[in-house]
Amino acid sequence: MRMTKLAEEVESPGERVGYWGRPAKATKMEETGEERGMLGDGEPKHQGRAGWYSLFIFTTKRHHITLFFATAFSILSGIVMPAVAIILGRIFDDFTRFGAHQLNRYELVSRVTTSCLGLVGIGSASWLLNSAFYLLWMVFGELQAKAVRDKLFEGLLSRDIEWYDKRKDGVGALIPRCQTQIRELQSAISQPFGFVVQCMTSTLVALGVAFYFSWSLTLVILAAVPFTAILLAFISSKMQPSIDAQKESLAEASRTVNGAISSIETVKACNGQQFEMWLFSSAIGEAAKSYLTQARLNSLQIGLVVLVTLSMFVQGFWYGSTLLGPRGVTAGQIMTTFWACMAATQSFEQILPHMIVIEKGKAAGAALKAVIFKMERGRKVVDMRGNQVPKTCTGDIDIRNVSFAYPTRPGQWALNQASFFFPAGETTCVVGRSGSGKSTLGNLLLRYYEPNSGEILIDGHPIQTLDSNWVRNAITLVQQQSVLFNETIFRNIALGRRDHEGIGMEEVKKACEFALLQETINDMPNGVNTLTGVGGNAMSGGQRQRIAIARARLRDTPILILDESTSALDQLSRSLIMDAVREWRRGKTTIIITHDVSQVLESDFLYVMDSGKIVQEGYRRALENEPGGLFCSFVRAESHPSNLSPDHSQTDLSSMVTVQQSQPPTPSTPHPRNSGISQDSLDIQLPTRSQHILSVFANPTAGLQVPKEFSPPPPPPPVLRLSLPRGMESIELTGKPTMANRHRPRAFERKPSSATSNTYSTPTSPISTTSSRMANWKGKLEFTRQTPSKQRPVPLKKIFATLWPTLPWKGRLNLILGFLSALVHASATPVFGFCFAKLLSTFYLQTAGRSQEAKKWSLAVLATAITDATASYFMHYLLEACGQSWVDSLRLKALSRILSQPRSWFDEPKNALSLLAESLDRNAEEMRNLIGRFAGLVFVAATMVTIGITWSVAVCWKLTIVGLTTAPFLYAITRGFEHISGKWEGRSNDKAEIACAIFAETFENVRTVRALTLEGYFRKKYARATQEAFKVGVRRAAYSGVFFGLTDSGIQFVTALIFYYGAILAASGQFQVGDILTAFSLLIFSMSNANVVITFIPQISSSRDTAARLLRLAYLPLTSHEQYGHKHTPAVGTLTFNNISFSYPSRPSYPVLRNFNFTIQPGTCTAIVGASGSGKSTLTALLLRLYDPTSGSITIGDEENTPLTQIYTPTLRSHIAIVSQTPTLFPTSIFANIAYGLPEGTYTASDIYHAAQLAGIHEFITTLPSAYHTQLSSPSPLSGGQAQRIAIARAFARKPKILVMDEATSCLDAESAEVVRGAVRRIVEAGVAVILVTHEKAMMRIAERICVVHRGRVVEEGGWDELLGKGGEFWRLVGGKE
């Protein structure tokens, strides 16, 4: 029996007792203090300093073996340097004794030969140890990355929908940040951490050797180390806050990119590119400030270590000279101690360049831990699963006194004491206004949420006791916004069944025939194997709905819920499909949720909802006899559409909508995407007729009132340039579109074409000075448009060629100063080597002159240390600043170029949102290292080698020439390592991007994944992708490891050769021992420092690969058709389509429009109708120049008939407003959403309120707790109808000359749709050309002319009555009757 009791009691959310006997609000995931402290992406705002354990959070027992052997080989390879120090000490002792005439030449050659053979043996062992060390750490890094990917995937898959709703910026912003953090953690835990272990081992072993030979001298040398360690730890502790701040700013930048690209059609249509650029530049500007704070602290650490490590030998030499002779310490012991201490300090110094990578990895590990920890603490899907799995489902659904509020709006009931009964085997309808709670039924039945109170029973079983997968396999929900996966049509339909792997072609074809898809599929070049695109964007709205219906037919579950599932279909298709559905569902439980009362048959039982309550229930024939009922008003509104009830006769409708150019911008004017409304905007003073021409969009009779408590904060400060910290030149933008209290940026100055023009000059590229400089290099810089793995790696020369033209003059000055500092730093090393050699030579001088010589050269060492430390600080900081300025400029240029690309560009797989977001985030961060970290090191190494070799030639030319003969050998090894590393780095990145794309698709469509119980399918798909990425990573580690070990051991082989030949030269008496020792020191210091660069080759290769990906975007060609227009048309006249033919670039052989001809007059209302997929929406895309016709032309104007291709695209779009079939809302306030894209100074707060009233949404907005301040999240917490009306309000607020409404009322109930139709009538009377792309008969009736499109051609045109009388295609479309 039907439930007839209606709820009468009204209670506030949070006061009722839930089904389980506890307060209703306790059933929601409780918001702890930690919960409230989390950012929108799930990261804590203040984590504190991340510990070393953060690097190993995701290490499992299966990883312990790899970690153990990696650590063991790191320790063993770390012993190599102390062992070399011991041998070098012996060799120098032999030369010293030979210089003091304590050894003859034969003994010198013999002893040095033995030592050199030892070096060769150590070099061979080093090859093996370093290869294994590199291989194992890289494999460990891949294991960690795979573990965190899998854990994050499983963690997100286990979250309930409520968790996703609570993400402030949606899961779309969380995904790219998590991927970046995974990369940062992997980068830190692989090679860099292995180097830290290796260098720490070398440091400790070298200190042990030093203590063994002379503990007292070692203590004197290391006297300043404890103080230095404390100071370094203090500096390091100050780095964590800036790392957290940078992470937050980059997350904000990522959210901006995600929102702009995912809503690219809306951004382009509203000319919102400039504002998105401003948001992005502001975010990366803040990130730059935080990063340069890190760079200053890290540079200070490096400079301090350089100062201490070089200057500590001053007191060491002084004390060492006192140990000779009387205390029985030999010169060899002292020199071995010095070499060991030098090896220890050099090893420790080598740790510092890796520390910033380690610190970022620690922060990334802590952030990922916080995300997963938060997920683990929250309610999981498994917690919502019951354990009952009935054998059958008959389909009885009993909903008893259910109340529910969405977690994002806990103070507003979506359902309020509502009771329903849907008997098995019957079709029941639910109708109501948009936002009345209809769609909430489907969300509760699929167990996306739990009710606050009341109970839901299926076949008599409480729903919370049933297994959620059983429930979802028994219910199919087809919603208005049908979600398709990036698969073929066949796969998308087959995924409806649990046994989708075994679905045959015949079954899919039958489902397609049921959904009237067969004709559409036959026209496609690949038939059912045609890809639907990301989110199904390659299909029209109607085609997406029909694919979803075909999927539901194949699924054939006991319970079917159709939630506005045919709203995008034409009347005939809708009628045929609904008839087929009723025939198919005979004897099965079916719930039809709709606002279209024509879908409710006389014999249907229905519930009428309003504000979350059931206000009527019964059979249609009975409810139609209740004239005062809500359902009867729906029937009247749909059957007899009329004008708006309010009297608008006092409004002057004769003038066209204009934008006042004479009125100066007011400081109070708020800006789109800024959540605030200006402080004084609440005192609304409507203009009078004597003040300016009235606009239909600003109704002076409205008298809107907005409570003062809704007054927002003032708009953000007007920033016209990306202000970066000291050391970086600000990156200029051509303007931010919200400078009400400043001079208007040139980019937004109006063209003085007409007093009534609302034309704006909105440049496509927002980077002014930088872009002009880069333009001069356009011919010199060619970057691949394919993924790097399919092309040879981009040479570093081409990458660095973008540096100079990108930097502003201050940045160029910093670059010059940075390399000058690097030159000083590089020169200091050979100078130190020379001074060091002179100090060594004092040990075989006579006692009388030793002290004075030691003092002189000790002071020289101290001066060298101070100079080197200062130069080292400035080198690192200035180059980091240049690197930051460089990548930020390229980021801005890349986003500008991306937003300037044609719409078809975004449909290409390589331009998927996840890949673009990663390029602008992680890739840019890694690219910065090329100049910030690596360029300075390479330059220093090259300079040191040049100076060292030149000096060595002057001192001992024969020894130097022998050393130079090994250069080809070392060069070949290094280039081989670079090539192998770069090649496999590109392949590894490609595989990681594939996994990232699957990750993003899964969780951006998580509701559909849950509804179809496809968790297992995507789990397997993602596991295959991550496993493939892991395999490629292991192969990369193996190939690169062999060359890495060879590059490190090659230095030992060369060192052995140099010492052996030096002994020959010394024994022959051709050169003085002092000169040979000087040459030794110069060559060894130069080679050892150059060898440090080799350790960075893997990181350089990684940065080079990511740089190529970012530069591909930064140098995208500006050849889009959107760039060619130049005319600024002040007025819009007749719009003419002349022989238009068009095919989408992704399907060139599938014509959408064929010789389309049509004319639209200004001030008229024209309806374009036709079957779904006939090309109607394509016309609107062509009108906005999202695409250009394949052939033919579109002209505008009364006299000149200017082709659209000649009109400046932003100007054209400023005349047009469009309400698309799928409304796009941004994650900001409602006010900012309505005002989005409006240039500053062209609107007031009252304009926004009036636009909302025209759209029939103002009253709803003012009932919200924060009214126009209400923040919208992603996905939007609003119903489809509410979102659509906000999108309509946005179109009205633009005050267009052409208004395009593409199925703009498909989500609206009859009353709300009538309000919109009334507004359209008034707009037409004001002289606006209105184009209605619609399937709704009520919308067709208000049109003066109707254009019927069939298979891309105009087959009929005329008025409503005229076309009905013809009995042709139009008559067929509307069902042959009114």
Side-chain angles (χ1 to χ4, degrees):
M1 58 178 291
R2 299 278 181 180
M3 302 295 297
T4 58
K5 182 178 179 180
L6 298 178
E8 298 177 355
E9 184 179 3
V10 178
E11 302 175 65
S12 62
E15 294 179 353
R16 299 203 179 109
V17 176
Y19 178 78
W20 291 273
R22 60 180 185 268
K25 64 181 179 182
T27 64
K28 304 290 177 188
M29 184 167 59
E30 296 189 5
E31 202 176 74
T32 63
E34 182 172 352
E35 176 96 9
R36 288 189 297 271
M38 301 298 282
L39 293 171
D41 59 358
E43 300 171 14
K45 289 182 180 178
H46 302 288
Q47 298 173 4
R49 190 181 178 196
W52 288 92
Y53 173 71
S54 300
L55 295 172
F56 301 94
I57 290 173
F58 303 100
T59 302
T60 65
K61 290 183 179 179
R62 296 177 61 187
H63 304 160
H64 286 172
I65 296 177
T66 304
L67 178 60
F68 171 78
F69 281 105
T71 305
F73 278 103
S74 293
I75 293 173
L76 291 174
S77 62
I79 299 174
V80 170
M81 186 173 287
V84 170
I86 293 174
I87 295 178
L88 291 180
R90 290 178 180 176
I91 292 175
F92 271 88
D93 183 47
D94 292 336
F95 276 98
T96 302
R97 292 174 63 190
F98 177 75
H101 306 292
Q102 297 176 7
L103 292 176
N104 60 42
R105 60 180 182 175
Y106 299 110
E107 291 174 326
L108 173 67
V109 173
S110 176
R111 294 170 68 91
V112 170
T113 300
T114 302
S115 298
C116 289
L117 290 175
L119 284 176
V120 172
I122 291 175
S124 301
S126 175
W127 186 356
L128 174 63
L129 295 175
N130 279 288
S131 296
F133 141 78
Y134 183 90
L135 166 66
L136 290 169
W137 278 113
M138 293 296 287
V139 170
F140 182 71
E142 292 290 342
L143 287 170
Q144 294 299 282
K146 188 175 188 301
V148 68
R149 286 184 183 124
D150 293 344
K151 193 162 188 176
L152 192 62
F153 187 88
E154 291 298 328
L156 287 173
L157 207 58
S158 68
R159 292 299 88 215
D160 61 2
I161 298 299
E162 180 178 320
W163 186 90
Y164 289 92
D165 288 348
K166 285 189 173 182
R167 301 312 95 208
K168 182 179 71 174
D169 301 294
V171 70
L174 172 64
I175 291 170
R177 285 307 301 158
C178 285
Q179 298 300 325
T180 298
Q181 288 159 358
I182 291 172
R183 177 69 179 194
E184 289 175 348
L185 177 63
Q186 180 184 0
S187 298
I189 201 61
S190 50
Q191 185 197 18
F193 188 82
F195 276 123
V196 170
V197 175
Q198 183 190 55
C199 293
M200 286 302 299
T201 302
S202 298
T203 300
L204 294 176
V205 173
L207 289 177
V209 172
F211 275 107
Y212 174 79
F213 282 95
S214 179
W215 64 269
S216 59
L217 178 58
T218 304
L219 289 176
V220 171
I221 293 174
L222 302 178
V225 169
F227 170 76
T228 305
I230 294 173
L231 191 57
L232 289 175
F234 174 76
I235 295 173
S236 183
S237 67
K238 298 297 182 182
M239 201 179 294
Q240 187 64 42
S242 61
I243 292 177
D244 291 339
Q246 183 199 17
K247 185 170 55 183
E248 292 178 20
S249 298
L250 289 176
E252 180 63 33
S254 181
R255 285 191 287 270
T256 300
V257 170
N258 193 76
I261 298 177
S262 62
S263 309
I264 187 63
E265 290 187 1
T266 301
V267 171
K268 285 177 174 289
C270 295
N271 285 331
Q273 297 97 319
Q274 288 287 312
F275 182 64
E276 299 296 338
M277 289 296 303
W278 175 78
L279 285 178
F280 184 68
S281 67
S282 299
I284 63 174
E286 291 300 315
K289 293 178 183 177
S290 300
Y291 181 78
L292 290 186
T293 300
Q294 302 170 43
R296 275 193 296 271
L297 294 173
N298 189 253
S299 300
L300 185 61
Q301 285 181 318
I302 293 174
L304 181 63
V305 169
V306 170
L307 176 63
V308 172
T309 55
L310 297 184
S311 63
M312 68 185 183
F313 290 98
V314 175
Q315 71 267 21
F317 274 108
W318 167 81
Y319 182 72
S321 63
T322 64
L323 295 178
L324 285 175
R327 300 195 182 184
V329 179
T330 66
Q333 290 175 315
I334 292 176
M335 282 188 287
T336 301
T337 302
F338 276 124
W339 277 112
C341 288
M342 178 67 73
T345 56
Q346 283 184 338
S347 296
F348 185 75
E349 189 177 350
Q350 289 177 18
I351 293 176
L352 294 180
H354 299 285
M355 284 309 297
I356 194 166
V357 179
I358 297 290
E359 289 294 332
K360 293 187 75 128
K362 287 158 64 175
L368 290 167
K369 176 188 175 183
V371 173
I372 293 176
F373 176 73
K374 185 180 178 185
M375 290 190 295
E376 290 174 347
R377 289 193 58 189
R379 189 173 63 212
K380 300 181 181 180
V381 172
V382 69
D383 298 333
M384 299 176 63
R385 289 177 181 168
N387 52 17
Q388 290 191 39
V389 183
K391 293 183 179 179
T392 60
C393 176
T394 58
D396 265 334
I397 301 175
D398 193 356
I399 300 175
R400 300 176 180 175
N401 299 317
V402 166
S403 294
F404 172 73
Y406 284 98
T408 53
R409 291 180 290 168
Q412 183 178 359
W413 291 117
L415 289 179
N416 189 353
Q417 291 287 307
S419 296
F420 303 83
F421 180 65
F422 302 102
E426 293 189 19
T427 296
T428 308
C429 299
V430 181
V431 299
R433 294 188 174 99
S434 58
S436 60
K438 306 184 300 295
S439 297
T440 302
L441 287 173
N443 292 333
L444 293 178
L445 287 174
L446 282 175
R447 299 209 64 194
Y448 288 158
Y449 308 95
E450 293 177 359
N452 293 63
S453 63
E455 61 179 337
I456 301 173
L457 294 89
I458 297 180
D459 291 347
H461 304 286
I463 195 170
Q464 74 276 3
T465 66
L466 296 172
D467 179 77
S468 59
N469 279 340
W470 181 89
V471 171
R472 290 166 184 164
N473 283 316
I475 301 175
T476 297
L477 173 63
V478 184
Q479 294 178 302
Q480 182 177 18
Q481 306 301 334
S482 304
V483 174
L484 302 182
F485 302 108
N486 189 20
E487 303 273 5
T488 63
I489 295 175
F490 177 91
R491 176 61 62 185
N492 268 286
I493 296 174
L495 286 174
R497 282 248 296 264
R498 281 179 290 177
D499 59 339
H500 51 81
E501 295 295 340
I503 298 296
M505 182 64 71
E506 286 303 316
E507 293 177 279
V508 172
K509 283 185 176 180
K510 287 181 181 179
C512 291
E513 290 172 358
F514 174 87
L516 306 181
L517 268 173
Q518 201 58 46
E519 183 179 353
T520 300
I521 291 174
N522 290 338
D523 288 340
M524 293 182 178
N526 297 320
V528 292
N529 293 318
T530 300
L531 285 172
T532 61
V534 178
N537 59 15
M539 304 285 119
S540 71
Q543 289 167 346
R544 287 197 296 269
Q545 283 191 343
R546 284 184 286 168
I547 291 174
I549 291 171
R551 183 164 60 196
R553 179 64 185 89
L554 184 68
R555 189 172 171 82
D556 196 16
T557 52
I559 301 170
L560 174 67
I561 305 173
L562 299 177
D563 187 357
E564 306 286 5
S565 58
T566 59
S567 59
L569 302 182
D570 59 88
Q571 293 289 336
L572 179 60
S573 298
R574 185 183 305 178
S575 176
L576 292 174
I577 286 179
M578 289 308 300
D579 289 345
V581 167
R582 287 181 179 273
E583 180 64 27
W584 158 44
R585 300 300 299 177
R586 193 183 303 275
K588 299 178 182 179
T589 305
T590 306
I591 303 173
I592 300 176
I593 298 173
T594 183
H595 60 257
D596 181 7
V597 296
S598 65
Q599 294 189 20
V600 184
L601 303 183
E602 291 290 326
S603 59
D604 284 342
F605 192 93
L606 72 147
Y607 293 94
V608 183
M609 298 188 65
D610 190 31
S611 300
K613 293 183 177 182
I614 299 175
V615 295
Q616 284 183 291
E617 60 178 292
Y619 291 95
R620 170 166 181 161
R621 54 179 175 268
L623 296 183
E624 284 182 327
N625 294 323
E626 299 180 13
L630 183 61
F631 180 74
C632 206
S633 69
F634 289 160
V635 174
R636 285 196 303 269
E638 188 162 287
S639 302
H640 306 287
S642 60
N643 292 333
L644 277 170
S645 54
D647 182 13
H648 302 289
S649 60
Q650 310 234 347
T651 305
D652 183 1
L653 301 176
S654 62
S655 63
M656 176 54 197
V657 182
T658 61
V659 178
Q660 306 166 50
Q661 298 191 58
S662 59
Q663 180 180 349
T666 58
S668 64
T669 304
H671 189 270
R673 298 286 291 278
N674 172 17
S675 61
I677 307 171
S678 58
Q679 294 288 353
D680 61 348
S681 63
L682 303 177
D683 183 16
I684 302 173
Q685 297 181 354
L686 296 176
T688 63
R689 299 188 193 199
S690 61
Q691 291 173 321
H692 69 286
I693 300 176
L694 281 173
S695 167
V696 67
F697 297 104
N699 180 8
T701 66
L704 303 178
Q705 297 295 327
V706 180
K708 287 188 177 181
E709 57 266 26
F710 300 149
S711 178
V719 182
L720 285 181
R721 53 175 65 221
L722 171 57
S723 299
L724 301 176
R726 288 178 298 172
M728 297 179 63
E729 178 67 11
S730 59
I731 299 173
E732 294 186 4
L733 301 179
T734 55
K736 162 183 168 301
T738 62
M739 300 325 132
N741 56 346
R742 298 286 181 96
H743 295 294
R744 180 179 301 278
R746 182 175 300 175
F748 290 92
E749 290 180 354
R750 296 183 183 275
K751 301 297 178 182
S753 53
S754 171
T756 60
S757 171
N758 63 341
T759 304
Y760 317 109
S761 173
T762 311
T764 305
S765 177
I767 304 174
S768 57
T769 57
T770 301
S771 294
S772 61
R773 283 195 298 268
M774 284 185 169
N776 297 328
W777 290 66
K778 183 176 180 182
K780 303 177 184 179
L781 302 172
E782 293 289 338
F783 293 95
T784 174
R785 292 183 174 85
Q786 299 181 18
T787 54
S789 64
K790 297 179 182 179
Q791 295 278 336
R792 296 182 60 184
V794 177
L796 287 171
K797 180 180 178 181
K798 282 191 175 181
I799 294 175
F800 283 120
T802 66
L803 178 60
W804 186 259
T806 301
L807 294 175
W809 71 268
K810 285 187 179 179
R812 295 178 180 183
L813 180 61
N814 288 337
L815 181 66
I816 294 171
L817 293 176
F819 276 103
L820 286 177
S821 299
L823 181 62
V824 174
H825 174 56
S827 303
T829 299
V831 170
F832 179 81
F834 175 76
C835 296
F836 185 70
K838 291 297 183 181
L839 279 172
L840 290 179
S841 64
T842 62
F843 288 115
Y844 60 83
L845 294 177
Q846 298 298 322
T847 305
R850 180 188 304 156
S851 177
Q852 184 177 358
E853 285 293 309
K855 181 179 179 180
K856 180 179 71 174
W857 292 111
S858 294
L859 291 175
V861 167
L862 181 61
T864 304
I866 295 173
T867 303
D868 195 12
T870 304
S872 181
Y873 169 81
F874 283 108
M875 177 193 79
H876 284 90
Y877 176 70
L878 292 175
L879 292 182
E880 286 281 15
C882 289
Q884 187 68 49
S885 179
W886 180 39
V887 298
D888 282 347
S889 294
L890 290 174
R891 273 171 162 155
L892 289 170
K893 184 176 177 65
L895 183 58
S896 173
R897 294 291 178 103
I898 288 171
L899 297 180
S900 299
Q901 295 305 300
R903 177 62 184 84
S904 58
W905 184 85
F906 296 89
D907 296 332
E908 299 177 24
K910 66 179 180 181
N911 301 323
L913 171 59
S914 59
L915 303 184
L916 298 178
E918 186 178 29
S919 292
L920 294 172
D921 187 357
R922 177 181 72 83
N923 292 353
E925 289 295 293
E926 290 196 21
M927 179 182 180
R928 179 189 54 228
N929 294 333
L930 286 176
I931 184 67
R933 292 178 57 207
F934 307 135
L937 292 175
V938 173
F939 178 78
V940 166
T943 304
M944 286 192 302
V945 169
T946 302
I947 295 175
I949 291 175
T950 304
W951 200 336
S952 180
V953 167
V955 173
C956 185
W957 65 271
K958 284 189 175 181
L959 183 62
T960 305
I961 289 176
V962 170
L964 289 177
T965 58
T966 63
F969 166 70
L970 295 177
Y971 177 79
I973 295 174
T974 304
R975 287 307 302 268
F977 182 33
E978 179 188 0
H979 173 73
I980 292 296
S981 180
K983 174 183 175 181
W984 283 96
E985 183 68 31
R987 293 182 178 180
S988 182
N989 284 338
D990 288 344
K991 294 298 182 183
E993 285 180 350
I994 293 173
C996 178
I998 298 172
F999 189 98
E1001 182 180 36
T1002 303
F1003 296 109
E1004 287 173 358
N1005 303 315
V1006 66
R1007 287 174 179 262
T1008 305
V1009 170
R1010 291 274 167 78
L1012 299 175
T1013 61
L1014 292 175
E1015 292 93 338
Y1017 171 79
F1018 280 98
R1019 183 183 287 112
K1020 291 179 182 178
K1021 186 176 180 180
Y1022 186 68
R1024 287 194 297 268
T1026 55
Q1027 185 63 28
E1028 187 64 26
F1030 174 74
K1031 290 179 180 178
V1032 172
V1034 170
R1035 287 197 288 269
R1036 175 188 62 163
Y1039 291 125
S1040 301
V1042 174
F1043 280 88
F1044 172 78
L1046 186 58
T1047 55
D1048 193 73
S1049 61
I1051 300 295
Q1052 311 303 332
F1053 300 147
V1054 174
T1055 302
L1057 175 63
I1058 291 174
F1059 274 115
Y1060 172 76
Y1061 188 68
I1064 298 296
L1065 292 177
S1068 65
Q1070 299 181 44
F1071 295 91
Q1072 297 294 324
V1073 173
D1075 294 336
I1076 293 176
L1077 289 177
T1078 300
F1080 281 159
S1081 299
L1082 291 169
L1083 293 174
I1084 290 172
F1085 271 106
S1086 298
M1087 284 192 300
S1088 61
N1089 282 279
N1091 191 42
V1092 172
V1093 176
I1094 296 176
T1095 63
F1096 287 101
I1097 284 180
Q1099 296 179 51
I1100 293 174
S1101 298
S1102 176
S1103 295
R1104 181 180 66 174
D1105 182 73
T1106 54
R1109 295 165 193 263
L1110 177 60
L1111 289 172
R1112 178 183 77 88
L1113 301 177
Y1115 286 89
L1116 285 169
L1118 290 176
T1119 56
S1120 168
H1121 62 271
E1122 298 180 17
Q1123 312 296 321
Y1124 295 144
H1126 59 278
K1127 292 186 177 180
H1128 297 270
T1129 304
V1132 174
T1134 302
L1135 184 65
T1136 306
F1137 295 85
N1138 299 306
N1139 295 318
I1140 297 296
S1141 294
F1142 176 74
S1143 299
Y1144 283 99
S1146 58
R1147 289 177 288 171
S1149 60
Y1150 178 56
V1152 179
L1153 296 176
R1154 301 175 176 88
N1155 298 320
F1156 184 91
N1157 291 278
F1158 195 65
T1159 300
I1160 298 174
Q1161 299 294 333
T1164 62
C1165 182
T1166 304
I1168 299 177
V1169 303
S1172 58
S1174 60
K1176 305 183 301 298
S1177 296
T1178 300
L1179 292 171
T1180 66
L1182 296 178
L1183 181 59
L1184 283 165
R1185 295 208 67 200
L1186 296 176
Y1187 302 91
D1188 260 1
T1190 307
S1191 64
S1193 65
I1194 305 175
T1195 61
I1196 195 168
D1198 293 324
E1199 298 179 359
E1200 295 185 4
N1201 287 327
T1202 307
L1204 293 191
T1205 55
Q1206 296 181 13
I1207 300 176
Y1208 184 48
T1209 303
T1211 300
L1212 173 68
R1213 290 170 179 167
S1214 69
H1215 292 313
I1216 303 172
I1218 182 170
V1219 184
S1220 61
Q1221 194 169 3
T1222 304
T1224 298
L1225 299 182
F1226 297 94
T1228 182
S1229 69
I1230 291 177
F1231 184 96
N1233 266 285
I1234 297 176
Y1236 182 78
L1238 294 178
E1240 159 245 359
T1242 63
Y1243 68 98
T1244 64
S1246 61
D1247 291 333
I1248 303 305
Y1249 303 149
H1250 286 308
Q1253 190 188 46
L1254 283 172
I1257 194 66
H1258 174 75
E1259 183 178 350
F1260 165 75
I1261 296 173
T1262 54
T1263 62
L1264 298 174
S1266 300
Y1268 283 85
H1269 289 295
T1270 301
Q1271 295 291 314
L1272 304 182
S1273 59
S1274 179
S1276 172
L1278 303 178
S1279 71
Q1282 291 161 350
Q1284 198 163 53
R1285 282 182 285 169
I1286 290 176
I1288 293 171
R1290 177 194 295 152
F1292 289 166
R1294 289 179 64 79
K1295 304 178 182 179
K1297 298 177 181 177
I1298 299 176
L1299 175 63
V1300 181
M1301 304 188 76
D1302 187 355
E1303 301 290 358
T1305 59
S1306 60
C1307 298
L1308 302 185
D1309 58 84
E1311 291 182 342
S1312 299
E1314 176 56 26
V1315 172
V1316 174
R1317 287 194 292 271
V1320 170
R1321 293 189 191 98
R1322 295 175 56 209
I1323 291 169
V1324 173
E1325 292 174 8
V1328 177
V1330 176
I1331 302 173
L1332 304 175
V1333 177
T1334 183
H1335 296 303
E1336 301 292 335
K1337 289 187 283 187
M1339 292 293 285
M1340 298 178 195
R1341 287 192 184 102
I1342 67 172
E1344 301 168 34
R1345 296 176 65 222
I1346 299 173
C1347 170
V1348 183
V1349 183
H1350 180 64
R1351 299 178 69 87
R1353 290 187 174 91
V1354 178
V1355 294
E1356 288 181 320
E1357 59 178 294
W1360 170 271
D1361 294 329
E1362 177 188 353
L1363 293 179
L1364 273 183
K1366 290 182 178 180
E1369 179 67 19
F1370 180 74
W1371 182 87
R1372 191 180 69 86
L1373 276 175
V1374 298
K1377 58 181 179 179
E1378 290 191 24

